[in-house]
Amino acid sequence: MIGGDEATKAPAAGAPQPLEWNFSQVFGERAAGEEVQEVDIISAIEFDRTGDHLATGDRGGRVVLFERNDTKDHYGHRRDLERTDYLISRHPEFRYKTEFQSHEPEFDYLKSLEIEEKINKIRWCHAANGALFLLSTNDKTIKFWKVQEKKVKKVCDLNVDHSRAMGNGPVVCSRKSASSKQCMENGGCNERPSGYSSIDASLPSGGVPPLRLPVVTTHETSPVAKCRRIYAHAHDYHINSISNNSDGETFISADDLRINLWNLEISSQSFNIVDVKPANMEDLTEVITSAEFHPTHCNTIAYSSSRGSIRLIDMRQSALCDTHSKLFEEQEVPGSRSFFTEIIASISDIKFAKDGRYILSRDYMTLKLWDINMDRGPVTTFQVHEYLRPKLCDLYENDSIFDKFECCLSGDGRHVATGSYSNLFRVFGCSEGSTEATTLEASKNPTRRQVQTPTRPSKPPGTLPRVLRRGADTSGADANGSAFDFSTKLLHLAWHPTENSVACAASNSLYMYYA
C-alpha cells in the first residue's frame, strides 16, 4: 500500500496512473444567486458498509437517505449476469430514498444552554431482516434509527353500489329507532321505523342485495423511519465522534474529555473508558478531537487530540483506559514553533484503513498516514494548505483556522482525500511510486479550477523539508488566478467502500464523482 525509500527523480514507467475524475450526480443544487438557508447546510456524510446506501445529515437535524439504483435498473437479473462473459463497468448512481427529522432543538434549563439540532455524525449499523439501522448524534443526544419498507394499505371496495345510487343522496340510511327491529338475511327489516314514508326510499326488485365487506389491499411500499432508542445524559461536553464496533453490539461516543462505551440494546447506561479531565481544569493541556474503533479488532480504539497526537488503546488492559498502548505523534522541528503551532497541529478527523493497518489523520495543514506498527512518525505527509502558512494571522482573526476538515480513504487503500476552501477537495495517491495529487472543485465541472502543483514521490518522514512533501502548494490562487474563497469550504466527504466514487458536501448540495 505504501512506498518506502524512493528517489527524488520522476517515478518509473510502472508507476500507477492518476485517477481521471468525472461528475456523476448532484442533489440539492442551488441556482445562481439563490440564498442558502442555514438549516439546509450538510453537516455529515456516510456510506454504509456495502456502498448501496448513503446518508447525509444537516444543520436542521434532518437525515436524508439515498439508495443505489444502477444495479437494479441496468444490470438485469442474476441469470443474465451469469451469461455475461465480460465485466460490466458502471459508476454508482443513487436516488433519493427518504428523509426524517432526527433531532429537534432543545434547551438545557439546568445549564441555561441551548442545544442545536445539527447532526454531527452518522454511522451505519448492520442491516437485518430487510431493515436499515443507523446512529445519528447532535451535541448531546445519540439516537438509534430503524428504516424499513412499510406496505401502504388502502380500502379499495366499499359497501356502495354506485350503479344503484339515486341522485347525490346516501345509499344506506342509518337512523336509530326506539323500537327493536328484526333484520332478515338479505339485509331487509320486518319493522319500519316510526315516521317512515314510502317516498323516503324504494327497495329494488328482489330485495336489498347482500352486504359487501370492504377489501383492504396493498398498493405500494414506503420507507418509514422509527427511533428505536435514545442515548442521552452521558456527555457534559459536545459529542464530536461516534463509532461502531466490529462486534455489531457496541459503539463509542466521544466528547472533548471523555469516551463512553454503549451497548446498542441498552440506552440507560454507558461505561466511561477514557477520561482525560484533570482534577483542576487549569491543568488541561489537550482535548479529544476524534475517536474511531478498529475495523476488525473489537478491543482496539484510536483517538486523536488537539496537540496532534493519536493514541491507540486496548480495552482488555483495564476498565478505564487511562494509559495508551501506542502513541503516534510527529516530532516538532526545532526552531519552528510559533503562536499557531498548536492550533494547526490539532487533528480534526481520523480514519482507519479498511484492513486496519493504517490510520489517516487530518490537521489544518496536512494529511498524514500512519502505520500502526510504526510509531516513530507518519509514513507519508500530504500537504493540503501549505500556501496558507503566510496567512495564518488573517485566518485566526476570522476563525477559519479552527475549521475542522474531514478525511477519507478508498476501499483498496490506494488513495486518500480531504476538503479545502473554495469548495475544492484534494485526492492523493499513496501507492508505491505514486505522485498523484489532484485538486477538484465541487461542481458539475470538477476540473474547471484544477490546481496543477509539483509533486514528488513520498520519502520516509524527516527526509524532506515540510514545504517539499507531497502535494505542496506555493500559491494562494487557483490555475485561473482567482483567489481562494474562505467562506465556501468543503468540510465533509466520504469515499465509496468498494469503488472509486466520492460524495462531498458543498453547502446544501451533495456532489458525487467517479473515476
Side-chain angles (χ1 to χ4, degrees):
M1 175 177 174
I2 307 300
D5 294 336
E6 295 154 339
T8 57
K9 61 183 181 180
Q17 295 297 318
L19 297 176
E20 295 183 5
W21 290 94
N22 300 280
F23 170 77
S24 175
Q25 292 174 279
V26 59
F27 296 94
E29 184 182 22
R30 55 176 172 168
E34 180 183 356
E35 184 178 354
V36 178
Q37 300 295 324
E38 180 78 12
V39 295
D40 295 331
I41 297 177
I42 298 174
S43 57
I45 301 178
E46 185 77 8
F47 281 103
D48 71 346
R49 65 185 66 248
T50 65
D52 291 337
H53 294 90
L54 174 67
T56 65
D58 60 27
R59 295 186 182 182
R62 292 164 297 190
V63 173
V64 182
L65 303 185
F66 302 88
E67 65 177 353
R68 187 171 179 175
N69 65 337
D70 57 296
T71 54
K72 299 178 182 179
D73 296 341
H74 300 280
Y75 284 178
H77 298 287
R78 179 177 178 180
R79 183 178 301 175
D80 298 331
L81 290 176
E82 291 175 349
R83 295 174 180 173
T84 305
D85 58 354
Y86 59 90
L87 178 64
I88 298 178
S89 177
R90 185 175 180 85
H91 64 272
E93 291 182 358
F94 287 80
R95 64 184 174 192
Y96 171 85
K97 182 178 179 69
T98 187
E99 66 180 87
F100 56 90
Q101 188 71 33
S102 175
H103 288 74
E104 299 282 356
E106 302 175 16
F107 190 82
D108 189 336
Y109 293 96
L110 294 177
K111 299 181 179 180
S112 296
L113 181 67
E114 185 178 356
I115 303 174
E116 293 182 345
E117 65 270 32
K118 179 175 82 77
I119 304 298
N120 291 342
K121 295 290 180 181
I122 297 175
R123 290 292 182 266
W124 289 91
C125 303
H126 291 285
N129 300 324
L132 303 175
F133 297 89
L134 53 87
L135 292 166
S136 63
T137 183
N138 63 353
D139 288 338
K140 296 291 184 180
T141 305
I142 308 166
K143 294 186 179 182
F144 183 49
W145 292 91
K146 176 182 180 181
V147 181
Q148 191 173 26
E149 296 284 346
K150 292 290 186 179
K151 296 180 179 179
V152 178
K153 296 181 179 180
K154 296 182 180 180
V155 178
C156 65
D157 290 330
L158 298 174
N159 277 341
V160 177
D161 190 349
H162 296 282
S163 63
R164 299 188 181 187
M166 295 182 298
N168 296 325
V171 177
V172 179
C173 180
S174 58
R175 184 189 301 175
K176 293 184 178 180
S177 174
S179 60
S180 60
K181 298 176 290 184
Q182 295 180 355
C183 297
M184 297 182 297
E185 292 181 357
N186 64 354
C189 187
N190 288 331
E191 183 178 351
R192 295 179 178 179
S194 60
Y196 176 85
S197 175
S198 59
I199 63 175
D200 291 345
S202 59
L203 293 175
S205 59
V208 178
L211 181 66
R212 294 187 301 160
L213 295 177
V215 178
V216 180
T217 60
T218 301
H219 287 265
E220 59 185 5
T221 60
S222 176
V224 176
K226 181 179 181 181
C227 183
R228 297 290 303 275
R229 289 176 188 86
I230 299 177
Y231 313 90
H233 312 300
H235 289 278
D236 293 331
Y237 305 92
H238 290 177
I239 299 173
N240 55 49
S241 303
I242 53 175
S243 180
N244 303 90
N245 198 346
S246 58
D247 62 8
E249 298 179 355
T250 57
F251 71 95
I252 58 171
S253 59
D255 62 23
D256 291 342
L257 299 179
R258 292 186 177 92
I259 299 178
N260 294 332
L261 178 68
W262 300 83
N263 189 300
L264 283 169
E265 302 295 328
I266 303 173
S267 59
S268 59
Q269 64 178 352
S270 63
F271 297 94
N272 180 228
I273 56 176
V274 175
D275 190 347
V276 300
K277 183 179 181 180
N280 185 357
M281 287 297 288
E282 294 182 358
D283 299 330
L284 183 67
T285 58
E286 61 181 342
V287 297
I288 299 170
T289 57
S290 184
E292 190 88 1
F293 256 118
H294 191 281
T296 56
H297 299 166
C298 61
N299 58 285
T300 303
I301 297 175
Y303 71 91
S304 59
S305 77
S306 58
R307 300 190 68 176
S309 61
I310 301 174
R311 290 173 172 85
L312 213 61
I313 61 173
D314 190 341
M315 292 192 298
R316 298 173 299 183
Q317 292 181 348
S318 61
L320 181 63
C321 303
D322 49 0
T323 59
H324 54 266
S325 57
K326 286 188 178 182
L327 175 65
F328 305 94
E329 60 182 356
E330 189 172 23
Q331 297 301 320
E332 185 178 319
V333 179
S336 63
R337 189 171 184 81
S338 68
F339 173 78
F340 305 107
T341 298
E342 290 190 5
I343 300 177
I344 62 177
S346 177
I347 296 176
S348 58
D349 190 27
I350 59 172
K351 292 287 193 310
F352 271 102
K354 191 174 182 179
D355 59 1
R357 172 71 183 275
Y358 297 93
I359 299 176
L360 181 67
S361 67
R362 172 71 155 97
D363 55 47
Y364 188 74
M365 305 296 288
T366 65
L367 270 175
K368 292 185 175 73
L369 197 62
W370 307 79
D371 187 337
I372 64 172
N373 297 327
M374 186 184 74
D375 55 3
R376 69 174 183 269
V379 176
T380 310
T381 299
F382 306 97
Q383 296 295 338
V384 180
H385 283 162
E386 186 60 35
Y387 68 92
L388 295 178
R389 192 171 293 276
K391 306 177 182 179
L392 292 180
C393 290
D394 297 334
L395 294 170
Y396 180 79
E397 291 294 331
N398 60 24
D399 289 339
S400 294
I401 199 172
F402 301 105
D403 289 335
K404 299 183 183 300
F405 294 91
E406 294 181 359
C407 59
C408 59
L409 298 94
S410 61
D412 57 11
R414 297 179 180 178
H415 295 85
V416 296
T418 190
S420 182
Y421 293 105
S422 298
N423 285 338
L424 300 178
F425 66 98
R426 306 204 67 190
V427 179
F428 300 94
C430 49
S431 301
E432 182 177 358
S434 175
T435 60
E436 181 177 358
T438 306
T439 302
L440 303 166
E441 182 186 29
S443 66
K444 290 186 175 181
N445 184 8
T447 60
R448 180 172 65 92
R449 296 175 58 185
Q450 189 172 94
V451 181
Q452 300 297 333
T453 58
T455 60
R456 291 177 171 83
S458 59
K459 283 193 172 184
T463 61
L464 288 176
R466 177 183 294 270
V467 297
L468 292 181
R469 294 197 186 173
R470 288 284 303 282
D473 285 339
T474 57
S475 66
D478 60 20
N480 300 323
S482 303
F484 286 99
D485 182 5
F486 299 110
S487 64
T488 56
K489 56 197 74 172
L490 200 153
L491 302 176
H492 311 286
L493 75 172
W495 202 298
H496 193 280
T498 59
E499 302 188 35
N500 287 327
S501 178
V502 173
C504 54
S507 187
N508 66 320
S509 302
L510 176 66
Y511 287 90
M512 304 194 70
Y513 303 92
Y514 70 96

